[in-house]
Amino acid sequence: MADKPRSFQEIILRLQTYWASKGCAILQPYDMEVGAGTFHPATTLRALGSKPWAAAYVQPSRRPTDGRYGENPNRLQHYYQYQVLIKPSPPDMQDLYLGSLEAIGIDATLHDIRFVEDDWESPTLGAWGLGWEVWCDGMEVSQFTYFQQVGGHDCKPVSGELTYGLERLAMYVLGVDHVMDMPFNDPQTPIPLTYGDIFKQTEQEYSRWNFDVADTAVLLQHFVDAEAECQRILDAPATDPKTGAKIIMVHPAYDQCIKASHVFNLLDARGVISVTERQAYIGRVRALAKACADAFVQTEAGGAAA
Amino acid sequence: MPDLLIELFSEEIPARMQTRAADDLRKLVTDGLVEAGLTYAGAAAFSTPRRLTLSIEGLTAESKAVREERKGPKVGAPDQAIEGFLRGAGVAREDLEVRDDKKGQTYFAVIEKPGRMAADIIAEVLENTVRNFPWPKSMRWGDGPLKWVRPLHSILCILSDEAGAQIVPLDVDGITSGNTTRGHRFLSPDAFTVTNFDDYEAKLKRANVVLRADERAEAIWHDATHQAFALGLEVVEDRGLLAEVAGLVEWPVVLLGRIDDAFLGLPPEVLQTSMKEHQKFFSVRNPKTGRIERFVTVANMETADNGATILAGNQKVLSARLSDAKFFWENDLRTVERQGMKAWTDQLANVTFHAKIGNKLGSQAERIERIASLSREIAPHVGAKPDLAEEAARIAKADLASEMVYEFPELQGLMGRYYAQAAGHDDGVPAACEEHYSPLGPSDDVPTGPVSVAVALADKIDTLSIFWAIDEKPTGSKDPFALRRAALGVIRLVVENRTALSIDEIINAWWKKHMSALNECYNFFVLDRPEERENEYGLDKVRVNHGMFSAFPDVDGGNEFSVLCVQTPDADKFIAENSYSLTFVKDGERVIDATQRILPSYWKADLLSFFHDRLKVFLKDKGIRHDIIDACIAMPGNDDLTLLVKRAEALAETLATDDGENLIQGFKRANNILTQAEEKDGVEYSFGADVKFAEDAAEKALFAALDAADAKIAPAMEAEDFSTAMHAMAALRAPIDAFFTDVQVNADSEILRRNRLNLLSRIRNICLSVADLTKIEG
């Protein structure tokens, strides 16, 4: 039986160690605001094209509408996802995943682990896949998806994607009822810190800003600017006039797509987007994601001949 | 004869797809085998979350050899024809035989199909089945092109007889067939070999897999009810959930858990919904109090601690969810106590119901306002007090803004009832909050409380009217706003409550009340019959930026208006966005042509005929033929659906009798003779038949019979007693038949002829006063 981790960070560290031992490149979080680990180019873009890929990383994620001023035991506007992407999906992907649960102290002989149908779709990324939400004793602990399409492109080969909601998973493993009470580092250390010590105040600050203070006029302008810049970057000729090399600037363009997406989420939290406009905004972000996907498959990393 | 065993072993198959998939597997494989010339004694298919299994008994060991001759073109036919024949028959030119036929020398192809071994056929059929399986949604995985519902891992395919088992060799994109399978993912993960179906099922059970879904369901139900019974409790029956849960486990282990006392004050429906939708738990009820006190969860696992950890985990998840629910429930109750339902109705002002309708009519608040006034309008017709109907309509959707419904949308209506009670409403108003959505389908209960009926009708008629007004009608299979369901709801509410209600009158009232608001939010003109209007009025009179009636101030007395026009800053943009084609006139110049028409009279007639179409479907399900319904729709008062149904039922009943059926023949004969005579003579024979010109006994008898029928039918129709009227009509059958047998209508005497034609017209008039029998087929 696996020994129990004692803190949030130990769970993260064990996942890192486990997936490293399975051959994944352990990447660092993407340095931009995203709604989910899927937005990291290591997932969105690398799921495209024919080149094999195996990466795992923690991704801080922001969902402004989920802010509850740090009061709700389970909801946060800023939280962590653990993301694994392996392409092509190996035949033992399920077993690899179950191994990761064991690594963080979930003993499969004592728990009830189930794969319950859950089709994944991201309208903003123009992506979908089939898979499950994984239940442990009735609680959803991960999303497990075989990517079929990203940015409107068929995924060939197919990537297997795992997403762990780290706070929820850790709360379960550590037996904590309120996220703010969860030990972040080892509770036996001289300076023990809880999740709340680190994030309670920021949740309050961001909740207030997200819901009531963020300047919507400025945000609307940011959206338009990001959209325009993304298109401008992709419209630039592939050949760099200075070096004479073919340099398609997919990642800079994709950054703008990420930015537009996050600005949209902020606007949504401010309640200034009506139901109909919502669809239109999502469509605009999707158009950017699709344009980036189209460009990525023209690059070497995207599998195009160098 | 050998038996065949097939197992397709994969990652977890969605529960909702398993039963259908097992059926499809059985059908596709057996059909394929039979088509290839094999026969079998029996076949059965099974499913678990990880496998589809097919067992076929008594399969023939090989297919018989087949010899087939095909006649081809004549010798000397164009090469093209001969090539085509060769391709179709699959033979080479030198294999053709030339024989003498009636038309001369002709090519014949003799196709010899040798018998094939069952294994070869099975391999081919199974590969085909796997590659073309009709999953509702399928996927690729890894780097292969194969599609399955989730990654397919192995194929077991064996033929077995007394001599032993033999693998049917097969390779689908690298998945080769074998004679092994695996047991439960955690309890018995090792592979094992099997020799036939009985061996397979027994070994699976030893490996903690119950193959049969019904056996799993039965075991779950048995264990759950026993555990509950031991505590003096009962499990709330839920067949759908039982089937789903049986599809989520291979080795069901039933665990009975406790719901924390803190949550027992929640409405039982909240507990049930939360547990079922999110956790797939069964509710366990105390039969003495009716309260939900425990839950049953079904694990897929046996553990050393007898499920203690699993149960504790599930209880914890449930507590987290119910804490949310309790928090919402208490917040909502506090809100209601402080401010009544008004707090929420105010909030709905900002919620968009449908954006295309515009800000004015498109918000929930406006919609509620409309439903409230329509409820008042309808109330007297359904025996409700207008004040109560309006009161109910105003709060019926308030719960949409409550925290509980935001979190659990499926509780809409039900929470409305609880909150309306808490807010002090009474007299059928809380029930109307819950029931005004009903009926939701053909089998859903129809509310009977007058207040509920009034609001339910108003809600649906408003929805239909507004979507008709903006031309968002259902087309083909597309009905995103469930308008067909709404119309069926109106029909069932009216008909099943035997309510006399003129739909036309109600729609009129709706329209009159809202036309100016529609005018304000519509930035366009809608013209009826634009070509005619153009000639009649000249389109130059139409101006953008005019009010509704200013374009044609004199048209139709203002009630039936022909133009709906409002201000638009940008006509082109509006048209582009709304895909209407309209006529706009600016400063005396026509800028865009109109083809689209949504005039109230057109619009209303169209909506009414939509009701009639749905009514036909509704009555057809009750066994009433469409021509009978058509015969009744053609009569006046067809917007009173109860009347219409009563008429149709009486007519169907009458036509089912011998007299009724024959009367139709008599009526048609009379009508045909009359129509021909009227065409020939250029006159209408409508009255003036006089018994004093009657010569024949049968003729006199018909006069008497018609008089008698008249005396009965007129008052019966007056009283809407269709059954009596139609019986009286059917009684005419014998005298009419006798008349046609004994009497020559086209007599030599013109006086007699005319008198008889006028007599026939009495038959026609009487019959047509009951229903339009010309529409009856046969």
Side-chain angles (χ1 to χ4, degrees):
Chain A
M1 188 170 134
D3 60 328
K4 292 268 176 201
R6 281 176 299 186
S7 67
F8 186 56
Q9 72 189 26
E10 191 181 345
I11 288 171
I12 295 176
L13 291 169
R14 287 196 192 187
L15 284 173
Q16 299 277 52
T17 309
Y18 176 81
W19 285 108
S21 78
K22 299 298 172 189
C24 285
I26 304 300
L27 303 181
Q28 298 306 316
Y30 203 57
D31 58 342
M32 292 189 69
E33 298 133 313
V34 294
T38 312
F39 275 86
H40 195 307
T43 291
T44 316
L45 296 180
R46 296 291 175 160
L48 292 163
S50 56
K51 289 200 164 182
W53 182 257
Y57 54 90
V58 177
Q59 182 60 51
S61 305
R62 301 197 188 207
R63 294 200 178 156
T65 47
D66 279 353
R68 295 292 183 274
Y69 300 84
E71 297 299 331
N72 188 293
N74 303 301
R75 276 197 203 189
L76 302 159
Q77 57 82 42
H78 171 282
Y79 64 104
Y80 290 107
Q81 284 192 343
Y82 196 84
Q83 177 87 3
V84 180
L85 191 85
I86 305 178
K87 178 174 79 174
S89 65
D92 60 346
M93 186 91 184
Q94 279 187 316
D95 292 332
L96 286 173
Y97 167 73
L98 292 170
S100 76
L101 292 188
E102 197 185 346
I104 57 172
I106 295 179
D107 176 358
T109 65
L110 210 54
H111 293 275
D112 182 33
I113 297 166
R114 229 89 71 69
F115 294 84
V116 181
E117 175 191 14
D118 190 35
D119 301 342
W120 174 79
E121 189 181 10
S122 167
T124 30
L125 289 175
W128 69 276
L130 299 188
W132 311 273
E133 46 182 53
V134 185
W135 286 15
C136 177
D137 303 337
M139 190 179 69
E140 183 194 337
V141 290
S142 305
Q143 286 278 333
F144 190 134
T145 308
Y146 292 101
F147 276 6
Q148 302 295 302
Q149 257 194 1
V150 172
H153 289 260
D154 278 348
C155 297
K156 284 183 180 175
V158 167
S159 299
E161 184 216 35
L162 299 169
T163 303
Y164 307 71
L166 281 173
E167 282 82 356
R168 196 185 345 196
L169 178 61
M171 281 167 68
Y172 189 66
V173 171
L174 300 172
V176 177
D177 291 327
H178 198 299
V179 63
M180 294 299 169
D181 299 334
M182 180 162 63
F184 200 102
N185 60 0
D186 192 328
Q188 307 302 320
T189 51
I191 308 177
L193 294 168
T194 65
Y195 197 91
D197 291 332
I198 299 167
F199 287 119
K200 176 84 190 248
Q201 185 179 324
T202 55
E203 279 299 306
Q204 291 169 338
E205 292 175 7
Y206 277 105
S207 292
R208 183 176 175 199
W209 183 74
N210 292 338
F211 288 129
D212 301 322
V213 179
D215 187 332
T216 55
V218 168
L219 289 172
L220 283 165
Q221 191 55 48
H222 281 348
F223 185 91
V224 174
D225 289 346
E227 187 182 36
E229 179 64 2
C230 178
Q231 281 157 352
R232 198 181 67 86
I233 297 170
L234 292 175
D235 286 345
T239 306
D240 174 21
K242 201 165 79 189
T243 62
K246 180 185 164 198
I247 305 177
I248 301 173
M249 297 165 286
V250 182
H251 287 79
Y254 182 64
D255 284 353
Q256 299 301 320
C257 170
I258 293 178
K259 200 170 277 180
S261 173
H262 180 63
V263 169
F264 161 73
N265 288 341
L266 285 170
L267 286 165
D268 199 21
R270 286 285 278 116
V272 295
I273 292 182
S274 76
V275 182
T276 28
E277 285 174 322
R278 226 185 120 74
Q279 288 313 312
Y281 274 100
I282 289 172
R284 284 161 76 177
V285 178
R286 181 169 56 239
L288 298 182
K290 181 155 184 348
C292 293
D294 292 347
F296 183 71
V297 296
Q298 305 298 319
T299 67
E300 198 187 335
Chain B
M1 284 200 277
D3 298 332
L4 173 64
L5 175 64
I6 294 171
E7 183 204 59
L8 301 165
F9 184 83
S10 67
E11 297 179 13
E12 277 75 357
I13 307 165
R16 66 190 169 93
M17 299 178 188
Q18 290 166 18
T19 308
R20 173 73 193 276
D23 263 8
D24 285 340
L25 176 65
R26 181 181 49 76
K27 190 161 183 338
L28 288 170
V29 172
T30 53
D31 284 359
L33 296 179
V34 169
E35 189 164 322
L38 297 179
T39 62
Y40 63 96
F46 311 90
S47 60
T48 80
R50 293 210 290 168
R51 61 201 93 217
L52 297 181
T53 300
L54 175 63
S55 164
I56 297 181
E57 285 177 1
L59 192 67
T60 39
E62 57 192 280
S63 66
K64 289 203 180 86
V66 181
R67 182 188 154 92
E68 188 195 338
E69 286 191 2
R70 277 197 217 174
K71 185 178 157 188
K74 281 198 295 188
V75 173
D79 266 3
Q80 243 178 332
I82 296 171
E83 295 290 330
F85 175 66
L86 291 173
R87 262 198 308 280
V91 294
R93 192 156 188 155
E94 55 270 28
D95 298 333
L96 291 179
E97 290 176 17
V98 177
R99 295 184 199 166
D100 276 329
D101 199 58
K102 273 175 262 170
K103 291 175 190 163
Q105 292 217 305
T106 306
Y107 286 117
F108 275 80
V110 178
I111 307 156
E112 302 261 10
K113 282 189 188 157
R116 295 173 69 200
M117 295 303 291
D120 294 340
I121 294 173
I122 293 163
E124 193 178 291
V125 168
L126 185 54
E127 177 170 353
N128 241 325
T129 301
V130 170
R131 290 194 189 279
N132 301 299
F133 203 80
W135 291 107
K137 258 187 188 173
S138 59
M139 52 161 273
R140 293 172 289 108
W141 62 95
D143 49 13
L146 191 63
K147 285 189 161 193
W148 199 245
V149 64
R150 294 292 183 277
L152 179 65
H153 280 269
S154 65
I155 298 174
L156 180 154
C157 188
I158 53 172
L159 269 173
S160 49
D161 53 22
E162 300 79 17
Q166 171 201 347
I167 295 170
V168 176
L170 167 75
D171 184 324
V172 186
D173 289 1
I175 305 171
T176 51
S177 56
N179 59 355
T180 62
T181 186
R182 287 170 189 277
H184 188 277
R185 183 189 282 285
F186 301 108
L187 295 170
S188 313
D190 294 336
F192 53 87
T193 62
V194 299
T195 53
N196 57 42
F197 177 72
D198 290 341
D199 181 50
Y200 169 77
E201 190 178 13
K203 279 183 179 157
L204 273 183
K205 197 159 273 180
R206 280 206 293 281
N208 305 92
V209 175
V210 179
L211 178 65
R212 296 166 196 258
D214 51 359
E215 190 183 332
R216 295 194 299 271
E218 225 162 86
I220 292 167
W221 188 248
H222 178 268
D223 276 15
T225 47
H226 272 70
Q227 289 192 33
F229 182 76
L231 297 171
L233 304 172
E234 62 188 17
V235 184
V236 178
E237 193 169 334
D238 188 335
R239 297 255 146 221
L241 181 62
L242 183 59
E244 186 183 358
V245 169
L248 286 171
V249 293
E250 292 199 311
W251 192 248
V253 176
V254 170
L255 300 169
L256 185 78
R258 187 181 281 279
I259 301 169
D260 196 300
D261 285 348
F263 306 120
L264 295 182
L266 281 168
E269 296 90 343
V270 172
L271 289 170
Q272 248 170 294
T273 303
S274 179
M275 296 200 294
K276 174 185 172 171
E277 299 299 326
H278 301 294
Q279 306 299 132
K280 321 264 185 232
F281 289 172
F282 291 90
S283 296
V284 178
R285 183 166 50 203
N286 183 334
K288 290 192 203 85
T289 60
R291 288 201 316 184
I292 307 291
E293 296 182 351
R294 306 273 171 121
F295 67 87
V296 159
T297 183
V298 181
N300 187 37
M301 196 63 195
E302 265 173 15
T303 62
D305 64 355
N306 292 318
T309 308
I310 296 172
L311 196 56
N314 275 288
Q315 241 155 237
K316 192 165 173 170
V317 178
L318 180 65
S319 285
R321 284 212 188 270
L322 292 182
S323 304
D324 276 355
K326 184 162 179 268
F327 178 75
F328 301 138
W329 167 247
E330 285 168 357
N331 274 358
D332 286 344
L333 283 180
R334 259 197 300 278
T335 305
V336 168
E337 271 163 30
R338 270 204 314 271
Q339 312 169 54
M341 304 289 267
K342 197 177 177 314
W344 293 325
T345 50
D346 285 353
Q347 270 183 44
L348 289 176
N350 305 319
V351 178
T352 308
F353 166 57
H354 188 279
K356 186 175 168 187
I357 306 167
N359 295 330
K360 186 84 181 178
L361 290 174
S363 82
Q364 283 284 15
E366 282 297 327
R367 179 173 170 227
I368 287 161
E369 197 61 41
R370 290 197 307 273
I371 296 172
S373 79
L374 200 54
S375 297
R376 266 201 100 80
E377 200 83 41
I378 294 171
H381 299 279
V382 299
K385 288 191 182 131
D387 286 349
L388 286 178
E390 181 178 346
E391 178 187 331
R394 287 196 183 284
I395 61 165
K397 297 197 186 291
D399 65 342
L400 292 179
S402 71
E403 294 186 28
M404 185 72 99
V405 174
Y406 182 82
E407 202 62 22
F408 299 97
E410 58 272 42
L411 291 176
Q412 72 172 17
L414 182 85
M415 297 321 295
R417 190 185 86 205
Y418 279 108
Y419 295 146
Q421 268 162 358
H425 294 275
D426 204 352
D427 296 323
V429 171
C433 292
E434 180 177 9
E435 294 172 349
H436 81 282
Y437 293 105
S438 302
L440 286 171
S443 53
D444 195 20
D445 284 345
V446 170
T448 54
V451 179
S452 299
V453 173
V455 183
L457 281 171
D459 185 22
K460 292 168 182 64
I461 292 174
D462 176 70
T463 299
L464 287 160
S465 300
I466 196 89
F467 282 108
W468 243 255
I470 61 164
D471 203 24
E472 286 272 1
K473 296 179 279 189
T475 51
S477 61
K478 278 191 189 156
D479 184 11
F481 304 105
L483 299 181
R484 290 192 182 106
R485 192 172 77 184
L488 177 66
V490 171
I491 290 167
R492 292 193 58 207
L493 280 160
V494 168
V495 172
E496 291 178 27
N497 283 306
R498 299 255 143 192
T499 305
L501 184 76
S502 158
I503 298 276
D504 216 26
E505 201 179 290
I506 299 298
I507 297 173
N508 251 332
W510 185 94
W511 178 263
K512 276 183 192 157
K513 200 151 224 149
H514 305 299
M515 59 188 179
S516 58
L518 276 169
N519 186 23
E520 270 176 53
C521 71
Y522 274 94
N523 297 324
F524 61 85
F525 296 90
V526 182
L527 297 178
D528 183 40
R529 289 165 287 138
E531 309 83 354
E532 287 171 40
R533 297 293 178 196
E534 195 169 13
N535 297 334
E536 205 175 334
Y537 301 100
L539 275 172
D540 277 349
K541 289 187 183 174
V542 186
R543 291 279 187 282
V544 179
N545 301 332
H546 278 190
M548 182 182 298
F549 297 108
S550 53
F552 302 127
D554 52 346
V555 173
D556 294 344
N559 280 337
E560 289 287 327
F561 43 90
S562 301
V563 175
L564 181 61
C565 64
V566 221
Q567 290 125 28
T568 177
D570 187 341
D572 293 310
K573 180 163 175 278
F574 184 84
I575 285 177
E577 282 174 1
N578 291 278
S579 68
Y580 285 103
S581 168
L582 307 165
T583 295
F584 282 74
V585 179
K586 274 183 191 164
D587 306 319
E589 280 193 46
R590 195 146 51 94
V591 289
I592 296 154
D593 276 305
T595 53
Q596 177 75 30
R597 285 166 285 170
I598 318 176
L599 186 77
S601 55
Y602 158 80
W603 169 89
K604 269 185 339 205
D606 193 52
L607 180 52
L608 189 59
S609 81
F610 181 69
F611 275 116
H612 287 154
D613 285 346
R614 300 329 295 165
L615 187 68
K616 282 184 201 172
V617 175
F618 173 71
L619 289 179
K620 209 175 152 202
D621 291 346
K622 291 185 178 297
I624 298 183
R625 294 188 337 237
H626 69 97
D627 56 332
I628 292 178
I629 305 163
D630 283 334
C632 298
I633 288 176
M635 301 302 288
N638 66 3
D639 67 322
D640 179 337
L641 303 177
T642 303
L643 195 69
L644 189 49
V645 169
K646 261 165 79 178
R647 197 191 288 266
E649 281 170 349
L651 183 57
E653 193 192 310
T654 306
L655 290 186
T657 65
D658 199 36
D659 274 353
E661 207 185 318
N662 284 293
L663 175 81
I664 293 291
Q665 302 314 321
F667 163 79
K668 288 204 164 165
R669 194 162 165 192
N671 193 39
N672 286 341
I673 294 171
L674 204 49
T675 313
Q676 279 167 18
E678 286 178 336
E679 265 173 30
K680 190 174 149 223
D681 303 349
V683 291
E684 190 180 325
Y685 293 100
S686 50
F687 74 107
D690 196 329
V691 71
K692 78 179 179 209
F693 297 114
E695 286 188 340
D696 199 280
E699 194 173 6
K700 285 179 185 152
L702 181 56
F703 266 102
L706 286 168
D707 288 343
D710 259 341
K712 274 190 196 164
I713 292 174
M717 291 298 289
E718 190 74 20
E720 293 173 3
D721 180 359
F722 298 113
S723 183
T724 301
M726 289 188 194
H727 273 113
M729 181 178 75
L732 289 171
R733 176 241 168 144
I736 291 174
D737 285 356
F739 174 80
F740 281 124
T741 312
D742 296 354
V743 180
Q744 172 86 30
V745 175
N746 287 318
D748 294 337
S749 153
E750 190 57 22
I751 295 175
L752 286 187
R753 178 173 171 266
R754 247 181 256 159
N755 198 53
R756 282 171 187 166
L757 287 169
N758 282 327
L759 183 60
L760 293 188
S761 96
R762 282 192 65 188
I763 297 177
R764 178 166 73 180
N765 288 346
I766 283 187
C767 291
L768 289 183
S769 75
V770 176
D772 185 352
L773 298 187
T774 59
K775 297 249 191 298
I776 300 298
E777 292 168 2

